[in-house]
Amino acid sequence: MISFLVVSGSQAHNNVSYLILFLPALISLRFSDIKRLFSNRLAQGLLFVILSLVLAAFLGSGDPLRQAKFSLIVLLFFIAVARLPEINDRTAYIASWGYLGLIIAYVIFNMLWQYHQGRWIPGDRLGDLSSKLENVIYATNAMGGMLAIITLLGMQAKKYRSVLLAHILVLGVSLTLLQTRSILVIWAVISLITYISLYRHHLNSRQTQLAIAGTSLAALLAVVCLFAFTSIGDSLLSRNVYRPEIWTGYITETLRCGLLLGCGPDHAFQYISHDGFTMVHPHSVFVTQFYKAGLIGLIPLVMLTFWAAIKGYQTQSWAAWYFIAGVAGLCFDGSSLVHSPNQRWLVFHLPLALLISQQLHQAARAKLTQP
């Protein structure tokens, strides 16, 4: 995770990932590791998502061997994470705060560096960041994932001030420096699942309800004031919303290629917006999956996402909350999920792999306690 903040360049970051994670996992790989992973329903769903892309590459536009190589990299990552010792709640809480702090420090470093170079002035949006986590939207999504973990575990431990501080930091950095509107969607999703969780576990006392309502109203008022009375608000509101137009263009192209298998992973298509901007990917992992592999690829991904979110949420898994926050962000920005290690791995592959690992540990414990 730290390598995303200190290693720049796609190939350099891939090399680091291979050396510290994939190569050791591959050398020590056992058949029992593969069998154990695919005893899990979520891992089986992931396999269907991956196979749909290989099939689309074989029958449509793409290199099936190249897609198979990316697929093996993804599966090896999930096997490596599944073999990790179980991470307890206290460790997860401390680690999420630590990584959130590192991302904020990384953003501030980039702010100072870009200001020194004359590429940024206060009130503007930061440009591309310096390391592998270069896109400001993915930096926001990663902070949202950490915020989800802190919110769940902090509320369970009654660390309300720490939870409130995390929300202020993530909203503040995302809206003022990164200027990403997607944080509002992620924050709304985290707030909603927090309230539902409190309600399900009968923790929604009148005092708690008033505290949550008051905090939410104060945050909303602060955001409204930011939008209405600052130059940052002007910058956030002045940017056009291209998502519906982009999605329509890529869905139309998918239907032209074929509803069932889509256009294939390597189909050459770029959407030109009404005002001349060239869009090189669909800006949503779900539209991307539909574009690349049609309904055969989209349906398994949707089922996997809902199953992971629902089953993980029912068990109050912090990895599931991380996954839900990541998916909320990827609904509005993202491309292929089956590729070499990239920014999307932080907000989809990693939380899903951690959730699968949790379920495997729980299944092992249940098996040991059987008479």
Side-chain angles (χ1 to χ4, degrees):
M1 292 174 71
I2 292 174
S3 70
F4 280 87
L5 308 178
V6 296
V7 180
S8 60
S10 294
Q11 191 56 52
H13 184 266
N14 289 349
N15 293 341
V16 169
S17 300
Y18 298 147
L19 288 173
I20 67 174
L21 184 62
F22 296 107
L23 187 59
L26 185 61
I27 291 172
S28 59
L29 184 63
R30 298 170 298 180
F31 178 73
S32 59
D33 295 328
I34 302 173
K35 184 178 178 181
R36 179 171 175 263
L37 176 67
F38 289 111
S39 66
N40 181 270
R41 291 289 180 86
L42 294 179
Q44 293 168 6
L46 174 69
L47 183 61
F48 278 114
V49 172
I50 289 172
L51 289 177
S52 70
L53 287 166
V54 177
L55 179 63
F58 181 77
L59 297 176
S61 176
D63 182 348
L65 291 178
R66 180 170 177 266
Q67 199 64 37
K69 179 191 73 173
F70 290 146
S71 302
L72 291 175
I73 291 172
V74 170
L75 292 176
L76 188 60
F77 172 77
F78 276 79
I79 291 171
V81 175
R83 298 195 310 181
L84 293 175
E86 189 170 13
I87 302 172
N88 62 41
D89 289 352
R90 183 175 181 274
T91 300
Y93 182 76
I94 294 171
S96 57
W97 260 115
Y99 197 60
L100 176 61
L102 286 174
I103 297 176
I104 292 173
Y106 170 67
V107 170
I108 292 174
F109 167 79
N110 277 271
M111 176 193 71
L112 296 174
W113 180 250
Q114 291 184 27
Y115 179 78
H116 173 72
Q117 293 184 319
R119 297 190 292 117
W120 177 83
I121 59 174
D124 284 355
R125 187 189 200 190
L126 284 178
D128 287 343
L129 307 178
S130 56
S131 296
K132 182 62 177 178
L133 189 63
E134 60 181 355
N135 190 297
V136 294
I137 295 177
Y138 287 118
T140 296
N141 293 350
M143 288 195 294
M146 298 304 103
L147 178 62
I149 299 174
I150 292 168
T151 300
L152 171 64
L153 299 181
M155 294 294 286
Q156 289 179 347
K158 298 182 179 180
K159 298 179 179 180
Y160 303 123
R161 292 180 182 176
S162 296
V163 172
L164 179 60
L165 175 61
H167 280 254
I168 292 171
L169 287 173
V170 172
L171 281 172
V173 172
S174 299
L175 289 175
T176 59
L177 297 179
L178 303 178
Q179 295 188 18
T180 48
R181 294 171 295 201
S182 58
I183 189 56
L184 297 176
V185 176
I186 297 171
W187 179 72
V189 168
I190 293 173
S191 300
L192 177 62
I193 61 177
T194 300
Y195 180 80
I196 296 173
S197 179
L198 291 172
Y199 185 83
R200 284 184 65 239
H201 291 83
H202 306 290
L203 299 175
N204 58 326
S205 65
R206 184 170 181 81
Q207 183 178 3
T208 304
Q209 287 181 343
L210 289 173
I212 292 176
T215 303
S216 299
L217 287 173
L220 286 172
L221 181 61
V223 171
V224 168
C225 290
L226 179 73
F227 274 71
F229 302 113
T230 68
S231 59
I232 294 173
D234 294 338
S235 175
L236 286 165
L237 292 172
S238 63
R239 296 203 306 271
N240 291 330
V241 178
Y242 290 102
R243 297 303 186 272
E245 184 181 353
I246 299 170
W247 297 340
T248 301
Y250 273 90
I251 290 171
T252 301
E253 179 67 9
T254 304
L255 295 176
R256 190 191 66 79
C257 294
L259 181 64
L260 286 180
L261 279 171
C263 298
D266 298 328
H267 179 67
F269 175 74
Q270 295 180 346
Y271 177 73
I272 309 298
S273 68
H274 68 279
D275 51 359
F277 281 99
T278 301
M279 307 299 176
V280 296
H281 65 83
H283 287 75
S284 169
V285 292
F286 295 100
V287 179
T288 299
Q289 186 73 4
F290 180 56
Y291 164 68
K292 289 178 179 292
L295 286 179
I296 290 177
L298 177 63
I299 291 173
L301 178 60
V302 172
M303 292 177 64
L304 170 67
T305 302
F306 274 99
W307 185 256
I310 292 171
K311 298 301 290 186
Y313 188 77
Q314 288 175 344
T315 59
Q316 290 296 281
S317 161
W318 53 263
W321 282 49
Y322 180 8
F323 179 73
I324 291 168
V327 168
L330 290 175
C331 285
F332 301 95
D333 205 290
S335 54
S336 179
L337 290 172
V338 181
H339 212 280
S340 297
N342 54 50
Q343 300 170 92
R344 292 176 292 285
W345 283 44
L346 275 178
V347 288
F348 188 92
H349 296 69
L350 179 59
L352 181 59
L354 290 168
L355 177 57
I356 291 172
S357 178
Q358 285 181 344
Q359 292 183 354
L360 291 173
H361 283 295
Q362 290 166 2
R365 286 198 302 271
K367 188 175 181 179
L368 288 175
T369 56
Q370 288 178 353

